Amino acid sequence: MAEIRLNGIVKDYGAVRAIHGVDLHVNDGEFVAFVGPSGCGKSTMLRMIAGLEEITGGTLDIGGRVVNDVEPKGRDVAMVFQDYALYPHMTIRENIGFGLKMRGFPASDIAPRVEEAAGILQIGDYLDRKPGQLSGGQRQRVAMGRAIVREPSVFLFDEPLSNLDAKLRVEMRTQIKRLHAMLGTTTIYVTHDQTEAMTLADKVVVLRGGHIVQEGPPMELYDRPNSRFVGEFIGSPQMNIFSGTLDRSGGTPVLRSGEVSLPLGEVEARDGAKLDVGIRPEHLDRAPDGQGMVRPVVDVIEPLGSDTMAICRLGEQEVTARLDPRAPLSAGQQIALSYDPANLHYFDGESGGRLSVRVLEAA
């Protein structure tokens, strides 16, 4: 079993507290992604699990054993770094097997493990080359192979794809997901890219300022963010946010935001309350002229083939809509957009916390 439990984990750097009493449970075989903005503490958390950073307070349990004072080599974890950390003078075969050699494994045991890992990662043809002869994606596979041959209880990935170009990142995401499905090893993956977190992980952990602000399955965070911060951070393009005050004077709840009035659902907030209302770009639909709920002016058009991103201006507000690419669209054009109020997300205008929606019973 390779369950991981963080109980009240604290990390201090002198008088500065970087991690604030974090509690987290990672199930055996689960793929968990730590995501958040730069400086949120995600890499520090990973390095504490690996044993590369001392834990100031709390307990870290791996596989039913408290490992706070256990050296990295005794934790049965393998880490893949952002910069590959390969030995340039060694062949790929030697790089992959180096860790086993240092642990005293005989060559007869190392060779088949190296061959098996290379086969899984499709780098068997490169075993006698040096790292300098490989592409960035191939070198990252070598780094992964070095972790695989150890057959650890836990894989730790620290932004492993950030040095790759966009096409290679997509290819390596697929490779990592396939690898996890094949091996079933408990995995913690740190990334600043929420798309990586969404596509790879069984559970996403969003960090901010050394705190966990929300954790759960990717689509749970996408569909029900518990705060404006999570709503904007998860999803690409990010959620549109309208800030204003709730007006119930006309019967139907409306958000007054500058010159804009947005019809709302039955949000549980008092009249005059400050609200932040979010709607995702794919939930804005092109409406016939004169029938839209909002009428922004198109500023920038980004054709993506399967759909078109229209970045629009609505007064002082920027609004992004994901639209049908076949509908004619031009910069400077005013368009009508509609939405289903059921797709709106409501956040307290001061705390940023999610607000409930009252479900109205049919008459």
Side-chain angles (χ1 to χ4, degrees):
M1 294 291 288
E3 280 188 320
I4 302 173
R5 291 183 180 273
L6 285 72
N7 301 301
I9 291 294
V10 171
K11 178 61 182 178
D12 293 336
Y13 293 102
V16 178
R17 178 150 295 182
I19 303 294
H20 301 261
V22 164
D23 296 311
L24 179 67
H25 178 209
V26 179
N27 292 313
D28 182 36
E30 194 171 28
F31 194 123
V32 173
F34 291 171
V35 67
S38 297
C40 70
K42 53 189 184 292
S43 289
T44 300
M45 292 259 291
L46 194 78
R47 291 175 65 82
M48 286 193 289
I49 294 169
L52 302 177
E53 290 277 2
E54 183 180 345
I55 296 171
T56 305
T59 59
L60 171 64
D61 183 305
I62 300 178
R65 180 174 61 128
V66 175
V67 297
N68 288 47
D69 299 320
V70 176
E71 291 294 317
K73 64 182 180 181
R75 297 190 180 196
D76 197 21
V77 302
M79 192 161 178
V80 178
F81 295 91
Q82 176 181 345
D83 60 359
Y84 321 135
L86 303 179
Y87 296 104
H89 62 287
M90 293 184 182
T91 65
I92 301 310
R93 187 187 308 275
E94 291 168 335
N95 265 285
I96 293 175
F98 183 74
L100 299 180
K101 182 178 179 181
M102 291 297 97
R103 286 169 173 77
F105 281 69
S108 59
D109 288 346
I110 295 174
R113 287 201 189 189
V114 170
E115 293 285 347
E116 181 181 10
I120 290 171
L121 295 167
Q122 301 174 11
I123 52 174
D125 293 340
Y126 310 124
L127 287 175
D128 295 317
R129 298 187 187 182
K130 301 286 182 65
Q133 297 174 283
L134 304 187
S135 69
Q138 290 165 341
R139 287 198 292 270
Q140 192 56 277
R141 291 186 192 194
V142 175
M144 290 165 57
R146 186 174 52 196
I148 290 171
V149 295
R150 291 180 52 191
E151 299 178 357
S153 297
V154 177
F155 284 134
L156 304 176
F157 290 87
D158 190 9
E159 304 211 38
L161 309 185
S162 59
N163 286 338
L164 305 181
D165 63 36
K167 183 174 183 294
L168 274 177
R169 282 202 301 274
V170 173
E171 290 177 3
M172 288 303 298
R173 277 208 315 259
T174 303
Q175 188 73 44
I176 290 170
K177 191 152 191 172
R178 185 180 292 124
L179 181 67
H180 182 257
M182 186 183 303
L183 301 178
T185 306
T186 305
T187 301
I188 299 180
Y189 187 101
V190 162
T191 178
H192 65 278
D193 184 337
Q194 53 85 28
T195 300
E196 280 182 24
M198 291 280 290
T199 54
L200 287 171
D202 303 315
K203 178 165 69 180
V204 175
V205 177
V206 183
L207 291 111
R208 184 185 192 189
H211 298 270
I212 293 177
V213 292
Q214 190 171 0
E215 61 177 276
M219 289 311 298
E220 179 181 305
L221 271 62
Y222 188 82
D223 290 333
R224 287 193 59 80
N226 67 2
S227 64
R228 172 176 172 166
F229 173 79
V230 175
E232 289 187 289
F233 195 84
I234 298 295
S236 180
Q238 75 175 32
M239 179 184 287
N240 297 297
I241 298 288
F242 297 88
S243 298
T245 57
L246 177 61
D247 182 357
R248 297 182 180 276
S249 61
T252 300
V254 171
L255 181 77
R256 303 293 182 191
S257 177
E259 300 174 1
V260 179
S261 296
L262 300 179
L264 305 178
E266 282 297 324
V267 57
E268 293 192 348
R270 59 177 175 76
D271 189 30
K274 293 181 179 179
L275 293 184
D276 292 331
V277 177
I279 185 164
R280 297 204 179 276
E282 64 269 25
H283 291 148
L284 287 168
D285 299 313
R286 193 87 176 261
D289 287 344
Q291 296 183 26
M293 295 173 170
V294 291
R295 297 180 59 79
V297 174
V298 177
D299 188 16
V300 176
I301 302 168
E302 296 181 346
L304 300 176
S306 59
D307 44 34
T308 292
M309 293 299 168
I311 295 94
C312 309
R313 305 299 306 181
L314 186 63
E316 298 299 315
Q317 174 84 40
E318 182 174 279
V319 180
T320 300
R322 188 189 293 267
L323 303 175
D324 186 334
R326 291 161 298 209
L329 202 63
S330 59
Q333 175 186 359
Q334 187 174 56
I335 58 174
L337 298 175
S338 62
Y339 56 86
D340 183 344
N343 290 323
L344 296 177
H345 302 263
Y346 302 99
F347 309 106
D348 185 281
E350 296 178 351
S351 70
R354 186 180 185 88
L355 296 174
S356 299
V357 177
R358 186 164 64 253
V359 177
L360 299 180
E361 297 182 2

